[in-house]
Amino acid sequence: MNPVAGQNLLVITEVFYPEEFLVNDLVFGWQAEGRRVTVLTRNPSYPAGRIYPGFRNRLFTRGEIRGIRVHRVQFIPGYKENRFIKILNYLWNMLLGIFWALKNGRNFDAVCMVQTGPLTFSAIGVLIGRMYRKRTVIWTQDVWPETVFAYGVAQRGIARRVLECFVRWVYRGCDRIAVSSPGFIPLLQRHVPGKPITFIPQWPATVPAGESAGEFLLPDGFRFVFAGNIGMVQNLENVLLGWEHFQRQAAAEGAWLIIVGDGSHLSALQQMVTKRSIPQVVFTGRVPARSMPAVYCQSDVLVISLDDRPVFNMTIPAKFQAYLEAGRPMFGVIAGEVASLISRHTLGRVADPNNPAAISREFETLFRTPAGDLKNFSAHAATLLEETFSRDRSVAALTRLVSPNAE
């Protein structure tokens, strides 16, 4: 018998359907197994920072999606463009969530916080756990305070001390802690020495049942594809500089760099390509999840890139698992954990993210690689996906943590 069937669970997550995140797959899967699931989240606004059509940005709203009860709190418009408003928005979301929790928190058997961004929203679950003695589990996918420091916020003085005290309070208030990357474990152990921390990797998100793969045509030729959020930390400036050098030196007219997605840094990258007249670059803008299988199917090499900073080097972005499932060779313009995975499991090639000349050389190496060798990269990706990044294994591990009988 499923140990969690009939359990009344609250999932706290900053983002939820119709926003396209892995938490959707987790929640709908749990509900299908017989758990009564309620979601507390923010009004949908990712990635543009604007309310989705069909929704209203009220203080509190409630509704139902595929049998899931969903409660939402208001966000403050403008948080994508202004750092002060972003911080204020984090606090506002948390405050509204606390008001909701004071009234409703006693109604649940357990609370699972899926932390994809700010830790402030997960604090709501800790409060419920402390007030009503409910089991609390957090699955951390973005480690604080290191991520905050990486963006140049609260790096010193009283702001740093307050942030570190807050982080310590949140993690000490969780009964169980899981992380999406093993590199996060030593960072969190500083705040909760002696408390077990479980590595539970993310898995490739699935296209919801009933939605077709869609059609999305890429240019003919050899296609390098970057897909995902386009922000400052994705290091796409250096990717473009490496691509520019490759195009100027290698006479690779049949090669394309295709950047799929949207984000706060998209406009700056488009201006960079125009100003420098970088050839054979295509920006598609945001592509719906149902069309991504078609994008991956047409790609020859998938590009994954991040800034070379300690906290990002410890991260395994969700994009990595999606690329594994796509079964295409990877080009990692990245250091740390992901670079090690690509090299150790022979998934593709890696370049120093700070060196455009090295990036250029690897673009050319992959462009000249025989088709048979590219297929070998793909075969290794399928093996790693099954052995380490399996959906069934990760969901089962999370299920054990939230189970009332878990030790």
Side-chain angles (χ1 to χ4, degrees), residues 46-47 80 226-231 233-234 236 260-264 319:
Y46 185 89
K80 296 292 289 185
F226 171 94
N229 181 53
I230 301 173
V233 303
Q234 271 68 47
L236 287 170
V260 179
D262 196 2
S264 60
K319 175 191 288 94

Side-chain angles (χ1 to χ4, degrees), residues 142-165:
D142 186 15
V143 64
W144 276 36
E146 284 73 15
T147 296
V148 179
F149 298 155
Y151 283 93
V153 179
Q155 292 180 302
R156 59 184 65 85
I158 190 170
R160 181 183 182 115
R161 292 194 293 274
V162 168
L163 179 61
E164 289 178 336
C165 287

Side-chain angles (χ1 to χ4, degrees), residues 31-343:
Q31 187 247 8
E33 292 176 357
R35 180 188 267 107
R36 289 175 290 159
V37 185
T38 298
V39 172
L40 175 63
T41 187
R42 186 184 64 184
N43 285 325
S45 61
Y46 185 89
R50 297 187 296 271
I51 191 71
Y52 275 38
F55 290 84
R56 293 184 178 181
N57 192 26
R58 294 175 172 171
L59 285 176
F60 301 96
T61 64
R62 62 182 179 181
E64 187 171 299
I65 299 175
R66 303 181 192 173
I68 305 291
R69 292 167 293 175
V70 181
H71 296 263
R72 301 182 185 270
V73 299
Q74 186 183 58
F75 67 89
I76 301 176
Y79 70 86
K80 296 292 289 185
E81 295 82 23
N82 185 288
R83 180 179 292 177
F84 174 76
I85 296 179
K86 180 188 289 286
I87 296 171
L88 189 63
N89 183 61
Y90 289 168
L91 298 175
W92 183 239
N93 296 161
M94 180 177 68
L95 180 62
L96 293 178
I98 288 172
F99 282 139
W100 183 91
L102 290 174
K103 179 180 179 181
N104 300 283
R106 62 171 56 87
N107 300 328
F108 304 97
D109 301 318
V111 183
C112 179
M113 295 89 78
V114 180
Q115 185 220 340
T116 59
L119 192 63
T120 46
F121 210 65
S122 296
I124 301 164
V126 173
L127 185 65
I128 292 174
R130 289 182 181 274
M131 288 184 60
Y132 301 114
R133 297 186 179 181
K134 305 297 182 179
R135 183 175 185 81
T136 54
V137 176
I138 187 168
W139 186 26
T140 288
Q141 300 169 22
D142 186 15
V143 64
W144 276 36
E146 284 73 15
T147 296
V148 179
F149 298 155
Y151 283 93
V153 179
Q155 292 180 302
R156 59 184 65 85
I158 190 170
R160 181 183 182 115
R161 292 194 293 274
V162 168
L163 179 61
E164 289 178 336
C165 287
F166 171 76
V167 171
R168 193 175 303 116
W169 177 83
V170 169
Y171 284 115
R172 288 182 177 179
C174 297
D175 294 306
R176 293 293 182 271
I177 300 172
V179 294
S180 62
S181 175
F184 292 169
I185 293 176
L187 298 177
L188 297 191
Q189 284 177 332
R190 294 182 305 174
H191 303 294
V192 284
K195 179 175 283 192
I197 300 174
T198 307
F199 167 48
I200 301 180
Q202 299 181 73
W203 60 90
T206 57
V207 176
E211 293 191 11
S212 66
E215 294 184 1
F216 199 90
L217 297 179
L218 302 182
D220 291 332
F222 192 96
R223 293 162 286 209
F224 292 89
V225 174
F226 171 94
N229 181 53
I230 301 173
M232 293 185 65
V233 303
Q234 271 68 47
N235 195 36
L236 287 170
E237 290 93 342
N238 280 344
V239 172
L240 286 170
L241 289 174
W243 178 261
E244 179 183 24
H245 188 269
F246 161 62
Q247 283 288 328
R248 307 292 189 207
Q249 300 297 320
E253 293 183 1
W256 291 86
L257 176 60
I258 302 161
I259 298 177
V260 179
D262 196 2
S264 60
H265 209 46
L266 176 60
S267 177
L269 295 175
Q270 290 172 323
Q271 292 174 24
M272 175 182 174
V273 168
T274 300
K275 182 178 180 179
R276 298 178 68 93
S277 299
I278 303 176
Q280 305 290 95
V281 178
V282 173
F283 294 93
T284 69
R286 184 175 179 273
V287 172
R290 64 179 179 273
S291 295
M292 289 310 300
V295 171
Y296 292 142
C297 185
Q298 297 172 73
S299 65
D300 294 285
V301 174
L302 294 169
V303 180
I304 183 167
S305 60
L306 271 178
D307 274 357
D308 184 10
R309 306 187 199 180
V311 65
F312 300 140
N313 292 344
M314 298 174 187
T315 301
I316 304 176
K319 175 191 288 94
F320 179 77
Q321 289 88 330
Y323 285 6
L324 284 179
E325 186 177 54
R328 291 292 187 270
M330 289 192 210
F331 178 23
V333 186
I334 196 166
E337 189 74 29
V338 171
S340 177
L341 286 168
I342 293 173
S343 299

Side-chain angles (χ1 to χ4, degrees), residues 326-375:
R328 291 292 187 270
M330 289 192 210
F331 178 23
V333 186
I334 196 166
E337 189 74 29
V338 171
S340 177
L341 286 168
I342 293 173
S343 299
R344 195 165 67 246
H345 296 278
T346 322
L347 306 176
R349 304 285 297 184
V350 174
D352 180 349
N354 301 308
N355 189 336
I359 296 169
S360 174
R361 287 193 298 270
E362 297 302 339
F363 269 128
E364 182 168 9
T365 297
L366 285 162
F367 180 61
R368 310 292 184 195
T369 298
D373 292 342
L374 293 177
K375 287 183 179 179

